[in-house]
Amino acid sequence: MNEVKTLGQFIIEKQADFPYAKGELSRLLRDIGIAAKIVNREVNKAGLMDILGQTGSTNIQGEHQQKLDIFANGQFIKALTSGGECCIVASEENEDIIVIDSPVAHNAKYIVAIDPLDGSSNIDVNVAVGSIFSIYRKINTDAPATIVDVCQPGKQQVAAGYVVYGSSTMLVYTTGKGVNGFTLDPSIGEFCLSHPNMRIPADGCIYSVNEGNYVHFPKGVKQYIKYCQVEDSTTNRPYTSRYIGSMVADLHRNLIKGGIFIYPVTAHAPQGKLRLVYECNPMAFIVEQAGGKATDGLNRIMELPVTELHQRSPIFIGSKNMVDMAERFMHDAGILS
Ligand code: P6P
């Protein structure tokens, strides 16, 4: 059996990749891993909680049962606040940024943007959900952190990752030197290296899009979907349609097998649905580091200007050759027509 390497051991081992690192980012990544383990424990008994919740139960502290995404948000914020390496948390669950000004964080230089439980509407039907995180360095280390430190383009990220709570629980992250995946071993309570140096195939046969919105899609997206469905054995078409409705789960599958995930603009989401800061940018960083591509149909996601915390963006992300092809259809049809 191969030697087991835990997330903590791996992080410390890779710290040498950053000559000036003094361990802050390593500690921050470990803090996130701890929160993920706690969230995992609650996600795995959510079904039970739902059953209990229907009788108006309360937990052992006498608290009313919290919605799981609020619980997850609290766990990540608590871990990041107490860890001392993070000066701002920007969360999908919070309208405004959370500035951490505790004494332990007075030297903190990292900003963390999180989607604490993405796809949580799938919890009660037992479908995989995920957590997403994105890490930036504070722009001006001599000044207090502000929203400006959060609104940085994705190419400034120093690290990004996700946790997928599925048939097993995995944490996948990058610090800009490739992508590595860790599977939680419940018997020892550790994330263990299971997918070293993850690479997304340049081509794939899976397309992931909510075709229920087809009538509202731009012409180029409609034409690309038709392209995916045409019989052509020389290009392995028709492709397979796979859409879970949980971005982390859809992207994780496509990262491993190859494929494209598209959430374009629609009538209900004229700017796209997915959030740039804590969904599109971190997933784009990971996919690019694995050899894939992520754009809004025209522009690289990680180059998009970030003007406000909860801004949305259309996204075409996955196997490079598939994203290239989809962009061609978008270009030929007139990008947003
Ligand atoms: P739709 C979940 O709510 C989410 O934010 C992503 O995880 C997922 O990819 C998308 O929305 C699904 O949206 O409109 O297809 O249900």
Side-chain angles (χ1 to χ4, degrees):
M1 171 171 160
N2 294 338
E3 172 206 343
V4 169
K5 185 170 291 180
T6 68
L7 175 63
Q9 290 166 332
F10 184 86
I11 289 170
I12 289 172
E13 191 180 281
K14 292 298 178 186
Q15 194 171 294
D17 290 347
F18 301 90
Y20 305 110
K22 295 192 288 291
E24 294 101 328
L25 182 60
S26 299
R27 269 192 297 278
L28 185 55
L29 289 167
R30 281 208 300 278
D31 293 342
I32 290 170
I34 290 165
K37 286 193 271 192
I38 296 170
V39 171
N40 174 69
R41 184 189 62 203
E42 296 307 304
V43 164
N44 283 343
K45 46 184 199 193
L48 186 59
M49 286 162 65
D50 283 345
I51 293 165
L52 290 175
Q54 284 162 357
T55 59
S57 68
T58 57
N59 65 20
I60 50 173
Q61 288 86 12
E63 297 161 341
H64 288 294
Q65 202 63 37
Q66 290 175 321
K67 263 185 76 180
L68 212 50
D69 41 17
I70 301 300
F71 172 83
N73 194 42
Q75 289 304 318
F76 279 104
I77 291 172
K78 191 158 66 175
L80 294 168
T81 304
S82 56
E85 304 306 340
C86 175
C87 53
I88 282 185
V89 178
S91 170
E92 195 254 358
E93 295 294 336
N94 296 74
E95 189 57 36
D96 301 313
I97 59 171
I98 299 163
V99 178
I100 300 169
D101 56 8
S102 64
V104 71
H106 75 284
N107 270 338
K109 62 182 180 190
Y110 291 107
I111 313 299
V112 181
I114 54 171
D115 185 353
L117 204 64
D118 180 68
S120 54
S121 59
N122 289 310
I123 282 274
D124 54 4
V125 293
N126 222 4
V127 166
V129 293
S131 304
I132 310 172
F133 64 89
S134 169
I135 303 177
Y136 291 90
R137 198 172 281 108
K138 194 163 75 165
I139 297 168
N140 178 352
T141 51
D142 299 331
T146 69
I147 185 67
V148 173
D149 293 295
V150 179
C151 293
Q152 299 184 54
K155 64 186 177 184
Q156 300 296 337
Q157 292 174 97
V158 293
Y162 62 81
V163 183
V164 53
Y165 310 97
S167 48
S168 65
T169 295
M170 279 192 69
L171 185 148
V172 175
Y173 84 96
T174 182
T175 56
K177 295 185 182 293
V179 179
N180 291 282
F182 301 78
T183 299
L184 183 63
D185 180 342
S187 68
I188 59 173
E190 290 285 1
F191 282 106
C192 299
L193 182 63
S194 54
H195 295 65
N197 192 27
M198 296 177 80
R199 303 293 292 171
I200 185 170
D203 280 302
C205 302
I206 296 171
Y207 71 102
S208 308
V209 64
N210 182 343
E211 295 190 57
N213 297 323
Y214 182 86
V215 291
H216 300 302
F217 285 160
K219 194 162 46 172
V221 172
K222 289 180 180 174
Q223 290 169 341
Y224 178 67
I225 290 172
K226 290 302 165 208
Y227 167 83
C228 292
Q229 294 169 345
V230 163
E231 185 90 35
D232 177 356
S233 56
T234 65
T235 53
N236 298 315
R237 287 179 291 147
Y239 294 152
T240 296
S241 172
R242 285 283 182 277
Y243 191 75
I244 299 173
S246 178
M247 183 191 197
V248 171
D250 277 315
L251 279 186
H252 182 70
R253 178 202 53 244
N254 292 356
L255 178 64
I256 290 174
K257 296 192 166 194
I260 184 170
F261 174 94
I262 301 175
Y263 207 108
V265 298
T266 69
H268 306 298
Q271 304 302 321
K273 175 181 182 183
L274 299 175
R275 314 290 186 148
L276 181 56
V277 172
Y278 39 77
E279 289 174 324
C280 298
N281 269 329
M283 298 311 266
F285 191 16
I286 292 163
V287 167
E288 284 197 7
Q289 280 290 310
K293 188 172 183 182
T295 76
D296 63 1
L298 176 65
N299 310 290
R300 183 184 178 216
I301 288 285
M302 293 211 288
E303 300 274 357
L304 295 177
V306 179
T307 53
E308 64 95 18
L309 174 57
H310 299 290
Q311 90 185 61
R312 300 172 191 265
S313 171
I315 187 165
F316 297 65
I317 183 171
S319 294
K320 184 183 179 313
N321 296 345
M322 297 183 83
V323 175
D324 285 345
M325 181 58 79
E327 285 186 312
R328 217 168 294 158
F329 279 91
M330 293 297 285
H331 175 268
D332 295 351
I335 190 73
L336 291 178
S337 57

